[in-house]
Amino acid sequence: MPASLSTELLGSVFENPFMNASGVHCMYVNELDELSESKAGAFITKSSTPSERAGNPEPRYISVPLGSINSMGLPNQGFEYYLDYALQRQKKHPDSEPLFFSIAGMSIDENLSMLEKLQNSEFNGITELNLSCPNVPGKPQLAYDFELTKEILTRVFTFFKKPLGVKLPPYFDFAHFDIMAEILNGFPLAYVNCINSIGNGLFIDIDNESVVVKPKNGFGGIGGEYVKPTALANVRAFYTRLNPSIKVIGTGGIKNGKDVFEHLLCGATMVQIGTELQKEGVSIFERLESELKQVMNNKGYKTIDEFRGKLNSL
């Protein structure tokens, strides 16, 4: 009997745990449709702001040897564009798996306003509140301000009753894992997504003796193979600290089936692919499916639940 890759979140069973990372291959309707028709088990929209944004000046995304650096500045088509897509999809495919809908306002009030609109709409998918946007000049990452994070979530859950997850930046200290987990455990969250890119990295073009992205004097978020150890650490740290009802989505450094297995072993329920999806296109999901099954078959696992979260310590 071949290995099953099915995974469950919020009562929905997904064919496999693969998703795109928000920001990659999800800006326009045609890209979202390609994700829908791909081998991805689920997919998520581009993080939206209330109005359309052009984003930062180019070049703002560059592939580098072990991943990518980007300073995108939240380019998107605006909240209503993605909500219209979500509602149309629900009408056309009422029995399909839930859509993940990402929002990333430029202020607390913008986030609250979009969440209110989602709450009052017919949207029946899963919302992801992006608390980690490292690439907007002059704007700090919300999730590094613990008091403000608690305040925002307190306000959100006074009115928001639909499934909600949060996208987190990477943390690097056990004390920060502890503090953030204690805050998150106080709310009825569906999941946490670990991690967004590692903020404010710098990549150098040695021939031209220059940076490679234009915004922020070359500082940008690092993704790809560079970030996998940090991503795995954050998945593991939150999996072992959060209430079992709060699932973990693992994002960062996934290039092959072995990488997926490692995220799941650390406790992830689903995984998102960013840099490699940008490089390879939606065909990556079929390859990852085959490679993860091969890893599981070699180890004798028939289901993900047999090993999820069961990382051994020495």
Side-chain angles (χ1 to χ4, degrees):
M1 183 178 175
S4 167
L5 301 187
S6 67
T7 189
E8 184 177 334
L9 180 69
L10 292 167
S12 294
V13 177
F14 299 90
E15 185 177 331
N16 62 54
F18 310 131
M19 298 175 62
N20 64 304
S22 181
V24 181
H25 208 94
C26 56
M27 174 83 86
Y28 303 106
V29 164
N30 66 300
E31 293 179 324
L32 292 164
D33 284 341
E34 287 176 4
L35 287 170
S36 179
E37 295 164 8
S38 75
K39 283 287 191 176
F43 64 102
I44 189 167
T45 63
K46 183 78 175 69
S47 290
S48 62
T49 51
S51 301
E52 180 181 355
R53 280 179 59 87
N56 290 339
E58 297 183 341
R60 59 192 185 185
Y61 178 99
I62 298 291
S63 291
V64 293
L66 293 177
S68 61
I69 182 170
N70 84 88
S71 185
M72 299 297 291
L74 279 174
N76 71 95
Q77 297 301 295
F79 174 82
E80 296 295 340
Y81 179 93
Y82 301 106
L83 182 58
D84 287 345
Y85 174 83
L87 297 179
Q88 289 298 321
R89 181 175 181 270
Q90 286 175 193
K91 290 179 183 178
K92 292 179 184 176
H93 309 285
D95 298 323
S96 64
E97 66 283 338
L99 175 70
F100 287 71
F101 192 105
S102 177
I103 65 167
M106 304 296 290
S107 69
I108 296 170
D109 287 341
E110 285 190 0
N111 281 324
L112 293 174
S113 175
M114 287 187 286
L115 287 171
E116 285 177 355
K117 289 179 180 178
L118 283 171
Q119 177 62 37
N120 295 328
S121 75
E122 296 180 2
F123 177 65
N124 61 11
I126 301 167
T127 303
E128 180 170 287
L129 173 60
N130 190 341
L131 296 177
S132 169
C133 277
N135 300 323
V136 179
K139 302 288 184 180
Q141 292 200 42
L142 283 174
Y144 284 151
D145 186 329
F146 298 120
E147 291 183 6
L148 189 56
T149 296
K150 186 174 182 179
E151 177 188 333
I152 293 168
L153 292 176
T154 298
R155 293 175 66 182
V156 165
F157 283 108
T158 60
F159 66 87
F160 198 77
K161 308 303 178 186
K162 295 180 178 181
L164 180 72
V166 291
K167 179 78 170 281
L168 297 177
Y171 297 97
F172 304 96
D173 193 292
F174 272 36
H176 294 162
F177 293 138
D178 293 340
I179 293 167
M180 182 53 80
E182 184 176 359
I183 291 170
L184 298 174
N185 278 331
F187 299 98
L189 288 164
Y191 69 86
V192 300
N193 185 347
C194 305
I195 57 173
N196 206 332
S197 56
I198 296 180
N200 293 322
L202 194 64
F203 197 85
I204 305 297
D205 177 346
I206 194 169
D207 293 331
N208 293 311
E209 300 179 15
S210 74
V211 300
V212 297
V213 293
K214 186 172 183 178
K216 296 168 62 177
N217 294 315
F219 285 72
I222 302 298
E225 293 177 71
Y226 295 112
V227 310
K228 188 178 80 166
T230 299
L232 293 175
N234 277 257
V235 169
R236 188 61 180 170
F238 283 105
Y239 176 78
T240 56
R241 286 168 173 79
L242 293 175
N243 297 330
S245 60
I246 304 176
K247 305 305 180 185
V248 179
I249 293 179
T251 306
I254 292 175
K255 191 172 183 177
N256 55 47
K258 172 180 167 289
D259 300 324
V260 177
F261 184 88
E262 291 177 9
H263 270 270
L264 299 172
L265 189 65
C266 284
T269 291
M270 303 185 81
V271 296
Q272 292 183 354
I273 295 90
T275 296
E276 285 303 314
L277 171 60
Q278 178 73 26
K279 293 181 178 182
E280 192 170 327
V282 296
S283 62
I284 190 173
F285 297 113
E286 187 170 5
R287 177 173 66 78
L288 290 176
E289 182 180 59
S290 173
E291 290 176 357
L292 178 58
K293 283 183 177 179
Q294 188 63 54
V295 173
M296 290 171 61
N297 287 335
N298 290 345
K299 290 177 168 291
Y301 291 123
K302 299 300 183 187
T303 68
I304 290 172
D305 285 337
E306 291 176 23
F307 65 88
R308 186 204 320 277
K310 295 179 181 178
L311 179 67
N312 294 315
S313 295
L314 299 180

